[in-house]
Amino acid sequence: MVSIYNRPSMLFDLTKCIACRACQVACKRWNKRPAEETSLNSDPATQWTNPPRLSSNTWRLVKYKLTYDEENDEVTWTFIPYSCMHCNDPPCLPVCPTKAIYKRDDGIVHIHSERCIGCGYCIEACPYKVRFFADDGYFGIKSIYKCTYCLDRLDAGLEKTACVQACPTEALEFGEYTEMHEKARQRAKAVGGYIYGDEAPLQRGSDIGTASVYVSKAPFEELGFPTEEQRISAPFVMERILLERGGLAIFGLGVLSFLGFALWRRERIGRAKMRELSKE
Amino acid sequence: MATITTFALGEIPEVMATTGEYPRLDRIENYLEGQTVPSICLYCAGGCGVRVTTLNGEIIETEGDPDHPINSGRLCSKPTAYPQLIYSERRILHPMKRTNPNKGENEDPGWVQITWDEAYSIITSKIQEAMENVPYKRTNTTTGKDDYYYVGKDSPVSWLGSSYLNNEECYLGRKLTALIGSNNIEHQARKCHASTVVGLANTFGFGAMTNHIIDAKNSKVFLIMSNPAESHSMEFRWVTEAILNGAKVINLDPRFNRTSTKADIYARYRSGSEAAIILGLIRYTIVNERYNKDFLETRTNAPYDLDGNFLSDWETNPDSIFGKLKALAEDYTPEEVYRISGIPVEKFDLIADTFTSIKPGNIYYAMGTTQHTNATQAIRAEAILQLLLGNMGVPGGGVNALRGISNVQGSTDMNELMHYIMGYRGPPQKETEIRRYQKWKNYDPAARGGSSDPAAVKANDNDPSYTAVEQRYYNRHFPTWNSLEYNWGMYVGTWPGVDPDNESVVCDLPVGNGYPIVALFRKIYNEDIKVLICNGENPAVSMPNAEFVRDALSKVFLVVNELFETETAWFADILLPGTVQVERSGSITNTGRWIQWRWKAIDPPGECKPDLEYITELYQKIRQDAGIKLPSERFRDDTGNDTGSRPEDCWPSPYASVFKGDPYTPEDVYKEIGAKSLDPNVRPGYVTVQPAANVIYRNSYNPNPVTELDISVDGILAKRRDTTPVDSQDAQYGYFKNWAFSWMDNQRVLYNINESNPGVKTFFAWWALNDTTWLGLDKAAIWSYYLFSGSITDVKNPLSHGIPLHNEPLESPDSELATEYPTMWGSYYTYYNVYEDIKPVDVGDSSEYPYVLTTFRLAEHMQAGALTRNLPWLVELFPEVFVEMSPTLASEIGVSSGDYVLLKTARNPDGDMVKCVVTDRIQPMTINGKTVHEVAMPWHWGFRGLSTGLSANVLTMDAVDVSAHIPEYKACLCKVEKV
Ligand code: SF4
Ligand code: SF4
Ligand code: SF4
Ligand code: SF4
C-alpha cells in the first residue's frame, strides 16, 4: 500500500477562484499541449466554459456554473478548476489490462504510454472523467493523456506544479498531503463550507480520498461532483477483484483475452464516451 | 455586414509537439539548464514580474517571477500564454509596402517586402512633402520682427503611441514629434484615463492612482467600480488577501462579472449614472455625519469660505466650502439615486452604511467610470468622497484608478499627449509666454541660460504684474522648458534675449496644443493631417465610431509599427516589424507608479527592430533626408544668428550622443529622463539647474549612488530588485521601497504624511474657481481651467461652479432624466471653439434606440486584441465575440442564447450581426420608474487575426468628456433585433 503521507497534494479553494484560467493555460504551456478549436459557449448554465470538456490536449479545465435565484435577485457563479484528482485508490488503475497505469510511491497516478493498448477501460472507470485518448500513441495506437501532477517538475525538485504556480489568488495551493488536507478542513470551517476528497472510511474496501482536495461554500453534490458511490468505481468491481486476487496467471490470460477484446472495445467505448461528454 | 468569426489553429511547432511517452523530459532538462532574465508583463498595468528562461538564444520558458513582490511567481492567463506571442508564426518579420492603392476592410494591401532603408526613404519623402508649406515664421505686427515657431496643431504629421512601449521609447516619441514641430500626438491614455488626470489632479495634485497594487491588502472595505478579477487579475491577489483579513467588498457593475462573485454586496446600475451614485454617497456621508472632521480641518479647504477665511462653524455654515458641497449634494437622496441608477434604496443604504463606516476604504475604478461625457465629474466626486471620509494619504485607502496597459502610466508621464510636453508640463501656449520665459531665464542667466547682458530686462519670480495664477503657471512650466532646452539641444526664448518684449521669438517647442484623439481623426478625415505614424496601437478597433476612423485611415499616409497585421495595419502604406518586450530593455511604470526595469532576453527575429533604434533612425532620416529643421535653425539660416541649438548632439540623449558609441542604450535615455542632479560632463558648456527632463521622474536616476544597492544598479533605480523593507512601515504595509523606484521621490502611497519620505503635498482643495477668486490654500485650483468656465452659467452644468453633479450621457434612455440632468456635451464646443469645423457626432434617440449598450473586457483578451486574438491558447478560451443580454430582453426579442442578433446604433443604423449570450448575470433595471434594458459587448475583436469578429466600437459614440476629451464608450443607445 502506498502511504498517504509525504506525498504531493493540491488544494482547490473555490471560494478564492476568479476563473482567470491562468491554470488552464499554464498547464498547456508547461506540457506543450496545443490549443483546441472551440466555439462560443453560450449555454445559460455553463457559459464561458471552454473547451467544453477536458481532452487529451486539455488536462486542466475551469468549469463555470451559473445559477440564479430570481426571488432574491441573486446570481451564483461558481468556478470549478479541475484535473486528475490522483485518487488514493484510483478506480482507473486496476481496470487497466496491461498494467500501463501505475501509482507512484508518492501517489501520483501515471501511465507507461508504451504499454497502453488503447482499450479505454480507464476512461470509463474514472469517476472524474479526466482521461482522454489522443491518436499519437506508440505504433499508431491511441494513447491516454491526463494531468501528470507535473511529475517532471516535482522530480526535478521544483516546488509547485505549473498550474498552481500561476494561480493569482492562491485558489490553488500545492504541498504535502496531510498539510493540504488539514488546511482544507480549516478553510472549510472558516467559510462555513464543505470539503471534498478528504479521507473517509473505506467504502467496500476502497479509499475514496484523493490527493487533490476541494473547498467550497456550496455542497459538492450541487456542483456535480461524483458521489461516494460513483467513486468506488462500481462498474468494474468484478474485474478488479479478478485482477487483484487472481494473481499473475489470471492476469496473463486476462491480457491475451483483453487484447482481442480491447481492439473492438476501445473504439466503441471511446466513441460512445466522447459522444456522451460532448453532449454535456 | 457582419463579420463571422472563423479561425484556424496555428501549426504546432516541432518543439511543441508531443507524442507517446509524456511528459517529455527535455522540457525540464532545458528549463533547468537555461538562464533566467527578469522581465515585466506586457499586458495590464499590474506590473507583475515575468521570469524568462533562455537556452542558446531561445526562450525555453516564461513564467511568473517568483522573486517579484507583486506576483510572487503567479501570472494571469494572458502572459501565461507568452511563448505563443513571442514565437507566433503570424508576426511581421520584415518591413512591407502596400501595393494596392485602394484601402478598405475588403482590400488586400498586397504587401511586398522592402528594406528598412526603402521604408525610411518613403516615409521621409512623405513627411517632407506634407511639411513643405507649413509656416515656421510669421511677422509680428507689434514688434515688426519675424517670430520663428511651429503651431503645434497645424502640423500635418501626427504620431500615435504607445503604452506598450518602454518609457525611454515613449520619451523619444514625444521628443521626435516636438522636434519636428507637431503636437498632434496622442495614444491609448487619452482613451483610458484622461478624465482621471483632470479629475484627480484638480483635487489632489497628481492625476494618478494614489496607492499601489500591493496596498489593497491594507484595505478594510472596497468600493469596486471596475472588474479587477478580469482586467487586473493580480490586483485581485491582494484583494483576496484583504478579504481573508476580513475586508468587505462592494462591487457595482451593470453586469454581474467575475469580480462580483467575490463581493459581499453586489449592485447593478445603469451605465452613465456613476456620478449620481457617488454624490448619493457624499450626501449620505454628510447627512449621517460619517465624515472625518479632523482630516477635513487639517488637510482640506472644506472649512474655509471662498475668500480663504477659516469658518469655525463650517459644518453648519452655508458659506463654507463644505456647506456648498452639502447644498449641492442634497438632491441625491437614496430615492433619487435609485431613480437615476436603478440601485434599490435598501441596497443603496446598505452600500453607503458599509462603505462609510469601515476604515480604511479603497475605491477602485476603471473604464466604466472614465469613459463618459461627464467622467471627470464622477471621478472628482470619488476624490471628494474619499476626502470626506479621510481615506486619503493612508495605506489601504485612496482613489485607485486601475490603468489598463503595462506602461500606460509611463506613456502618460512621458506625455505622448497633445496638450503636454513632458511631466505634465504644457507647451508654450502663446508668444507672450515665451517672452516671459525669456525674462525668467534672464533673472538667473547662469543657471537658466538667459542673457547676461546688463540691459536684459529681468523679471522677478514674484513680478507683481503677474497674477497669482500666472505666477504659479510659470513656476510650473518654465523649469521644464529649460530642462528640455538642455536635454533636447534646442532653443526657447527671444533672440538675443536682451529685450524679450521686442525681439524675435524663437521657439523650437511647438506652440499651442494639438488635437485630442477624436478631433485628430476628424482632421485626418478632412485631410488636414496627411501623415500618421502609429506605433503599437490599433485605432481601427479601439476608437469609438470605428467605421469613421477606418475611413479616415484610408485617407492618410499611414505608417504602422506592429507585431501583427492588425486591423489598423490593414490600412497601412508602410508596415514596420516591431519587437516583443522580451526582445529589448527599458523601464516601464505600472498603475501604482512603480518604475521597473525589464531586461532583454533574446534577439528579435527577422528584421524586427527595437523601437529605440527605429525612432532614432527615423529621426535622423527626417533630419537628413527630409531636411526638417528646427525653427531656431531656420532663424540661423535666415539671420546668421546661432542660438546654440544642436539637436544631433542630444539625440537620442545627451548622455550618449551618437558620437559616443552605441546610440541605442535605453540606460542613457533613462538617465536623461530622471537625472537627479546636473552632470557637467554630459553637455559641457551648457548651464541649467533643471536637468531631469521629466520632473515627475526626478531622482529615478542617481548619478552619485551611495548605498551598495544603488551602486549595484549604476544609479538606475528602476533596476533595483531588493525586497528588504527599509523600515518598519515598509514591512508592515508592503511598500517595497528598495524594489525599483516610484514617483514621486519613491513615495508609495501618495500624500501619505506618515511615510518615511513624506508626501510632497499634504493639503487638498476641492473647490476650484477662476483666477480672480481665492484658489484654495495650496493653489491646487490653478488647474481650474478644466473644471470651471466663466462663460457657462447653467447651474446644472458643473463647469459653472466646479463641484460635481450628475449629468446624463449624451444618449440617455430616459427623456425626463435627460431634461432634468442635461448632458454636459453641449458645453464642449463652447469650451473648445477650435473644433468647430469637425464632423458632428451622430446621436440616437431613446424612442428609436431604447437599450443601453456598454462595453467590457475579458481576462483572456487584451484591449484591441492583437496581443491575444493571435494566440491559440487564448483564442481557445474566448474564440468569438458576443453580446450579453438578460433573459427578459431575449424573450422580448424572441432570441435564445447563441443566436445571432442585429445590433444597431446611430453610428451604425444598418446594424451588424453578433451572437448573443443570454445570461442571468444581466437583468432589466428600473430607471425613473420605467424598465430599462442594458446589453454589453466585449470590445476586443476586429476583422484581422486568428479569431475575428465584430468590433464593438463600430457601434459606440465619439462624443467625449468635456474636460478631458475621453470618448463616451461606456453608455450609448442601441436597438437589438432578431435576425
Ligand atoms: S481522477 Fe480519474 S484518472 Fe485520476 S487517478 Fe482518479 S480515477 Fe484515475
Ligand atoms: S498539475 Fe501539471 S499536469 Fe496537472 S493540471 Fe496542473 S499543470 Fe497540468
Ligand atoms: S488560476 Fe486560480 S483563480 Fe485562475 S482559474 Fe485557475 S484556480 Fe481559478
Ligand atoms: S495582472 Fe496584469 S500585469 Fe499581472 S500578469 Fe495579469 S496582465 Fe500581467
Side-chain angles (χ1 to χ4, degrees):
Chain A
M1 271 303 280
V2 174
S3 156
I4 61 161
Y5 301 100
N6 289 322
R7 49 189 194 88
S9 165
M10 209 184 281
L11 168 56
F12 292 66
D13 187 343
L14 303 190
T15 67
K16 290 193 209 159
C17 175
I18 52 172
C20 70
R21 303 199 262 203
C23 54
Q24 194 173 324
V25 179
C27 179
K28 294 220 169 195
R29 190 194 65 220
W30 179 257
N31 294 299
K32 295 191 186 254
R33 310 312 298 173
E36 297 188 43
E37 194 161 343
T38 55
S39 58
L40 176 70
N41 183 347
S42 59
D43 180 84
T46 66
Q47 54 188 249
W48 292 18
T49 310
N50 233 339
R53 42 158 177 74
L54 289 177
S55 74
S56 59
N57 285 325
T58 305
W59 305 347
R60 159 61 56 82
L61 181 67
V62 181
K63 270 198 202 173
Y64 292 64
K65 192 172 186 304
L66 183 75
T67 54
Y68 181 54
D69 169 359
E70 208 172 332
E71 203 168 316
N72 298 308
D73 183 19
E74 232 173 68
V75 176
T76 309
W77 204 12
T78 313
F79 312 127
I80 313 165
Y82 78 111
S83 48
C84 172
M85 300 285 280
H86 297 272
C87 304
N88 290 352
D89 204 349
C92 63
L93 186 145
V95 304
C96 179
T98 60
K99 285 225 184 277
I101 297 170
Y102 64 104
K103 193 166 172 70
R104 307 194 329 169
D105 283 350
D106 62 3
I108 293 177
V109 179
H110 196 47
I111 185 164
H112 294 298
S113 295
E114 76 283 5
R115 286 204 210 156
C116 174
I117 52 167
C119 70
Y121 286 2
C122 56
I123 293 180
E124 194 140 318
C126 170
Y128 301 96
K129 305 301 165 214
V130 301
R131 296 181 157 266
F132 286 87
F133 278 136
D135 277 324
D136 56 2
Y138 285 79
F139 315 116
I141 296 176
K142 284 171 189 266
S143 185
I144 283 287
Y145 287 99
K146 68 156 187 74
C147 156
T148 67
Y149 248 34
C150 286
L151 54 85
D152 49 344
R153 291 171 68 98
L154 303 183
D155 290 351
L158 302 192
E159 263 175 43
K160 292 171 183 174
T161 65
C163 55
V164 171
Q165 183 186 334
C167 179
T169 59
E170 231 171 41
L172 304 178
E173 279 183 75
F174 198 76
E176 197 274 318
Y177 187 98
T178 40
E179 191 195 323
M180 286 298 112
H181 282 241
E182 180 52 30
K183 207 165 183 175
R185 276 173 228 129
Q186 281 173 10
R187 187 70 191 134
K189 213 171 173 187
V191 300
Y194 302 83
I195 177 169
Y196 185 94
D198 202 6
E199 283 160 65
L202 293 190
Q203 304 266 342
R204 276 183 272 157
S206 166
D207 175 354
I208 61 166
T210 47
S212 292
V213 59
Y214 281 76
V215 173
S216 149
K217 270 183 195 158
F220 285 91
E221 305 84 75
E222 281 177 20
L223 302 179
F225 277 63
T227 60
E228 288 191 355
E229 185 60 26
Q230 286 164 327
R231 287 147 75 189
I232 312 168
S233 64
F236 291 91
V237 167
M238 283 316 294
E239 291 174 34
R240 181 168 147 195
I241 289 167
L242 195 70
L243 286 167
E244 275 177 4
R245 302 243 171 103
L248 251 174
I250 297 176
F251 177 64
L253 283 173
V255 169
L256 286 178
S257 58
F258 269 121
L259 270 172
F261 184 47
L263 279 175
W264 67 272
R265 268 285 297 238
R266 69 157 205 232
E267 206 55 42
R268 203 173 61 88
I269 297 176
R271 286 242 178 88
K273 218 58 226 171
M274 292 299 247
R275 252 203 313 278
E276 194 182 299
L277 285 165
S278 56
K279 268 190 254 151
E280 267 179 11
Chain B
M1 211 13 242
T3 331
I4 309 290
T5 300
T6 54
F7 71 87
L9 294 171
E11 286 286 305
I12 307 160
E14 178 53 30
V15 288
M16 304 272 234
T18 318
T19 60
E21 190 66 52
Y22 71 101
R24 287 204 8 192
L25 289 178
D26 54 346
R27 179 89 174 86
I28 186 81
E29 280 163 12
N30 290 339
Y31 173 73
L32 295 174
E33 207 184 311
Q35 300 202 312
T36 60
V37 183
S39 188
I40 304 290
C41 175
L42 76 158
Y43 289 98
C44 93
C48 299
V50 172
R51 185 168 72 181
V52 181
T53 304
T54 63
L55 186 65
N56 306 326
E58 272 196 34
I59 290 181
I60 298 298
E61 175 73 327
T62 62
E63 64 196 318
D65 180 349
D67 302 326
H68 199 287
I70 290 177
N71 60 314
S72 312
R74 309 155 197 212
L75 284 181
C76 68
S77 46
K78 295 181 288 285
T80 296
Y82 210 173
Q84 285 193 332
L85 174 67
I86 301 162
Y87 288 117
S88 173
E89 72 274 24
R90 305 175 66 87
R91 274 183 68 178
I92 306 159
L93 299 177
H94 305 280
M96 294 197 283
K97 180 175 82 175
R98 181 184 202 92
T99 53
N100 183 355
N102 301 321
K103 292 184 178 184
E105 207 174 303
N106 300 315
E107 296 287 350
D108 189 297
W111 300 121
V112 292
Q113 190 178 325
I114 54 173
T115 64
W116 273 95
D117 278 338
E118 284 171 292
Y120 286 138
S121 99
I122 297 170
I123 298 167
T124 46
S125 71
K126 282 286 176 186
I127 292 178
Q128 187 171 21
E129 197 184 306
M131 290 198 51
E132 216 152 37
N133 298 315
V134 179
Y136 54 81
K137 72 171 170 187
R138 46 200 61 66
T139 307
N140 189 307
T141 47
T142 319
T143 63
K145 304 227 169 62
D146 285 339
D147 292 334
Y148 285 75
Y149 60 84
Y150 284 113
V151 174
K153 72 178 167 58
D154 290 346
S155 174
V157 181
S158 57
W159 181 276
L160 286 186
S162 153
S163 304
Y164 293 102
L165 303 190
N166 296 335
N167 285 326
E168 296 72 24
E169 297 154 355
C170 295
Y171 176 79
L172 283 194
R174 190 60 182 105
K175 189 167 173 175
L176 182 146
T177 46
L179 292 180
I180 64 169
S182 178
N183 279 338
N184 287 324
I185 172 168
E186 286 276 89
H187 76 291
Q188 288 100 338
R190 174 71 58 201
K191 290 169 276 181
C192 75
H193 274 286
S195 43
T196 290
V197 177
V198 184
L200 298 188
N202 284 292
T203 320
F204 301 148
F206 294 112
M209 180 172 180
T210 58
N211 297 40
H212 61 107
I213 291 275
I214 294 175
D215 188 62
K217 74 171 186 167
N218 300 313
S219 301
K220 290 290 172 217
V221 62
F222 293 90
L223 179 60
I224 301 184
M225 297 180 74
S226 65
N227 183 3
E230 301 193 52
S231 307
H232 302 83
S233 305
M234 206 56 64
E235 180 65 82
F236 222 80
R237 167 189 182 187
W238 299 102
V239 176
T240 304
E241 188 161 328
I243 293 173
L244 291 176
N245 291 327
K248 291 270 173 278
V249 176
I250 303 163
N251 176 230
L252 308 182
D253 201 286
R255 41 188 281 287
F256 189 96
N257 58 44
R258 284 180 254 190
T259 299
S260 319
T261 64
K262 301 293 170 278
D264 296 281
I265 308 169
Y266 163 76
R268 77 178 68 83
Y269 72 90
R270 172 180 61 105
S271 294
S273 63
E274 295 80 10
I277 298 168
I278 304 292
L279 283 157
L281 294 173
I282 288 178
R283 181 191 168 278
Y284 185 97
T285 306
I286 295 175
V287 170
N288 295 289
E289 293 187 27
R290 295 278 170 88
Y291 50 89
N292 184 331
K293 285 180 203 166
D294 188 45
F295 187 89
L296 290 178
E297 286 191 357
T298 53
R299 298 197 66 184
T300 77
N301 63 358
Y304 294 77
D305 70 9
L306 287 181
D307 298 320
N309 307 307
F310 183 87
L311 306 175
S312 52
D313 59 347
W314 58 273
E315 286 177 78
T316 48
N317 192 329
D319 289 336
S320 71
I321 287 169
F322 180 82
K324 306 241 172 234
L325 175 70
K326 192 173 171 179
L328 283 165
E330 196 44 57
D331 295 343
Y332 298 91
T333 60
E335 291 72 24
E336 190 61 5
V337 172
Y338 168 59
R339 201 166 75 92
I340 299 170
S341 71
I343 300 177
V345 171
E346 221 168 89
K347 191 158 243 174
F348 180 81
D349 279 338
L350 178 65
I351 291 165
D353 180 40
T354 309
F355 190 68
T356 59
S357 61
I358 306 173
K359 304 277 170 65
N362 177 331
I363 297 183
Y364 275 125
Y365 72 98
M367 308 300 95
T369 308
T370 64
Q371 296 177 334
H372 292 294
T373 39
N374 68 334
T376 298
Q377 301 302 326
I379 295 161
R380 272 262 292 167
E382 291 177 348
I384 292 172
L385 173 64
Q386 288 294 62
L387 289 178
L388 284 172
L389 294 168
N391 276 331
M392 294 309 305
V394 289
V399 180
N400 292 304
L402 286 172
R403 309 218 52 185
I405 303 173
S406 44
N407 194 31
V408 66
Q409 187 59 53
S411 59
T412 309
D413 301 336
M414 297 309 148
N415 288 165
E416 289 189 302
L417 293 165
M418 61 86 197
H419 64 313
Y420 288 133
I421 282 285
M422 194 50 58
Y424 304 97
R425 273 50 177 171
Q429 293 295 338
K430 44 193 184 226
E431 281 166 24
T432 48
E433 276 177 20
I434 301 161
R435 296 186 190 281
R436 281 194 161 143
Y437 171 66
Q438 182 65 48
K439 293 177 192 172
W440 179 88
K441 288 203 286 185
N442 292 352
Y443 182 71
D444 186 357
R448 298 172 182 172
S451 166
S452 45
D453 189 313
V457 175
K458 293 188 184 184
N460 192 294
D461 271 5
N462 294 313
D463 186 330
S465 69
Y466 297 173
T467 65
V469 172
E470 283 172 330
Q471 194 63 53
R472 186 164 162 81
Y473 180 86
Y474 299 145
N475 287 347
R476 191 175 158 76
H477 297 267
F478 289 173
T480 287
W481 301 353
N482 206 225
S483 163
L484 297 183
E485 279 195 75
Y486 168 82
N487 281 304
W488 292 2
M490 45 137 213
Y491 188 77
V492 178
T494 62
W495 190 261
V498 182
D499 181 7
D501 286 327
N502 298 302
E503 294 169 351
S504 279
V505 162
V506 180
C507 179
D508 292 335
L509 286 176
V511 174
N513 298 346
Y515 289 101
I517 195 78
V518 168
L520 184 79
F521 271 100
R522 279 163 160 73
K523 282 290 179 189
I524 290 174
Y525 187 87
N526 292 353
E527 298 182 50
D528 293 330
I529 290 174
K530 300 190 171 71
V531 176
L532 171 61
I533 301 174
C534 181
N535 306 283
E537 182 156 359
N538 192 358
V541 172
S542 64
M543 283 295 291
N545 196 2
E547 286 294 358
F548 174 80
V549 167
R550 291 171 192 177
D551 289 347
L553 289 172
S554 307
K555 295 176 158 206
V556 71
F557 175 76
L558 178 63
V559 180
V560 171
N561 163 28
E562 258 300 351
L563 298 178
F564 297 98
E565 188 197 53
T566 61
E567 290 75 5
T568 300
W570 193 246
F571 292 90
D573 296 278
I574 300 287
L575 183 50
L576 301 173
T579 47
V580 175
Q581 282 72 355
V582 288
E583 293 158 5
R584 50 189 214 267
S585 291
S587 72
I588 65 163
T589 309
N590 80 352
T591 185
R593 298 165 287 101
W594 289 21
I595 307 161
Q596 307 187 87
W597 196 265
R598 59 182 162 210
W599 280 261
K600 175 179 167 175
I602 50 163
D603 287 327
E607 292 181 89
C608 297
K609 230 186 239 294
D611 298 81
L612 214 60
E613 199 172 323
Y614 140 70
I615 299 172
T616 294
E617 288 176 357
L618 181 63
Y619 176 70
Q620 287 164 347
K621 304 274 179 190
I622 289 174
R623 294 274 298 168
Q624 287 155 17
D625 301 348
I628 306 299
K629 292 183 175 180
L630 296 175
S632 62
E633 291 171 309
R634 301 282 190 185
F635 177 70
R636 185 184 56 203
D637 293 351
D638 289 358
T639 68
N641 292 315
D642 187 353
T643 62
S645 51
R646 299 280 183 276
E648 263 72 25
D649 290 2
C650 295
W651 189 283
S653 159
Y655 286 81
S657 84
V658 277
F659 309 109
K660 290 193 218 157
D662 182 3
Y664 307 126
T665 66
E667 281 85 351
D668 291 328
V669 182
Y670 178 94
K671 290 175 183 174
E672 175 181 343
I673 296 169
K676 182 177 187 166
S677 63
L678 178 64
D679 179 347
N681 298 318
V682 171
R683 253 188 103 194
Y686 201 90
V687 272
T688 178
V689 285
Q690 302 290 340
N694 192 322
V695 61
I696 296 276
Y697 281 61
R698 64 181 186 222
N699 299 336
S700 61
Y701 168 56
N702 183 351
N704 308 304
V706 180
T707 66
E708 208 175 299
L709 176 62
D710 292 2
I711 293 167
S712 74
V713 293
D714 188 25
I716 299 194
L717 304 186
K719 287 186 176 175
R720 300 189 303 175
R721 287 171 55 81
D722 181 356
T723 52
T724 325
V726 298
D727 56 20
S728 60
Q729 277 199 49
D730 187 327
Q732 182 183 353
Y733 297 119
Y735 292 151
F736 293 97
K737 282 179 184 247
N738 275 334
W739 184 275
F741 188 79
S742 160
W743 69 255
M744 298 288 298
D745 298 333
N746 209 22
Q747 190 173 30
R748 300 295 161 124
V749 173
L750 283 179
Y751 325 116
N752 181 1
I753 50 175
N754 299 317
E755 206 168 312
S756 37
N757 48 340
V760 287
K761 191 159 176 299
T762 57
F763 200 85
F764 308 105
W766 75 52
W767 191 279
L769 277 181
N770 67 2
D771 51 11
T772 57
T773 314
W774 182 65
L775 295 172
L777 291 186
D778 73 338
K779 300 191 186 74
I782 186 66
W783 304 88
S784 63
Y785 171 70
Y786 298 104
L787 294 178
F788 176 83
S789 168
S791 61
I792 291 167
T793 49
D794 177 6
V795 292
K796 289 179 172 175
N797 189 328
L799 298 179
S800 68
H801 49 69
I803 285 273
L805 298 172
H806 169 66
N807 295 87
E808 279 294 297
L810 177 53
E811 289 187 334
S812 167
D814 190 275
S815 51
E816 263 173 54
L817 287 176
T819 315
E820 277 175 68
Y821 298 97
T823 171
M824 291 182 74
W825 173 244
S827 41
Y828 190 64
Y829 291 99
T830 347
Y831 214 20
Y832 298 98
N833 48 21
V834 282
Y835 311 135
E836 263 157 11
D837 61 334
I838 63 180
K839 177 186 160 291
V841 173
D842 296 316
V843 185
D845 189 81
S846 57
S847 56
E848 192 180 351
Y849 300 101
Y851 312 128
V852 178
L853 169 71
T854 196
T855 62
F856 64 92
R857 287 186 285 167
L858 299 162
E860 299 81 353
H861 281 297
M862 186 65 185
Q863 318 292 49
L867 295 174
T868 51
R869 278 192 289 113
N870 285 307
L871 276 53
W873 285 330
L874 298 175
V875 167
E876 174 194 273
L877 303 172
F878 270 117
E880 294 176 64
V881 67
F882 54 94
V883 61
E884 287 187 341
M885 64 177 71
S886 71
T888 321
L889 179 60
S891 73
E892 269 177 33
I893 306 170
V895 293
S896 343
S897 206
D899 289 354
Y900 275 99
V901 294
L902 196 58
L903 266 182
K904 296 178 175 177
T905 65
R907 273 69 55 199
N908 195 351
D910 297 336
D912 268 301
M913 286 210 297
V914 61
K915 276 187 189 172
C916 70
V917 169
V918 178
T919 178
D920 287 319
R921 292 179 292 104
I922 296 187
Q923 297 293 338
M925 287 173 268
T926 309
I927 305 296
N928 191 24
K930 294 162 221 143
T931 301
V932 169
H933 291 285
E934 181 154 342
V935 301
M937 216 182 142
W939 66 273
H940 308 290
W941 272 267
F943 59 87
R944 302 298 300 157
L946 189 56
S947 160
T948 59
L950 177 67
S951 301
N953 282 327
V954 303
L955 299 156
T956 54
M957 180 164 49
D958 40 4
V960 299
D961 177 87
V962 171
S963 307
H965 317 281
I966 183 171
E968 183 152 53
Y969 290 98
K970 286 295 180 277
C972 60
L973 293 179
C974 73
K975 179 152 68 172
V976 187
E977 289 170 3
K978 187 187 165 125
V979 281

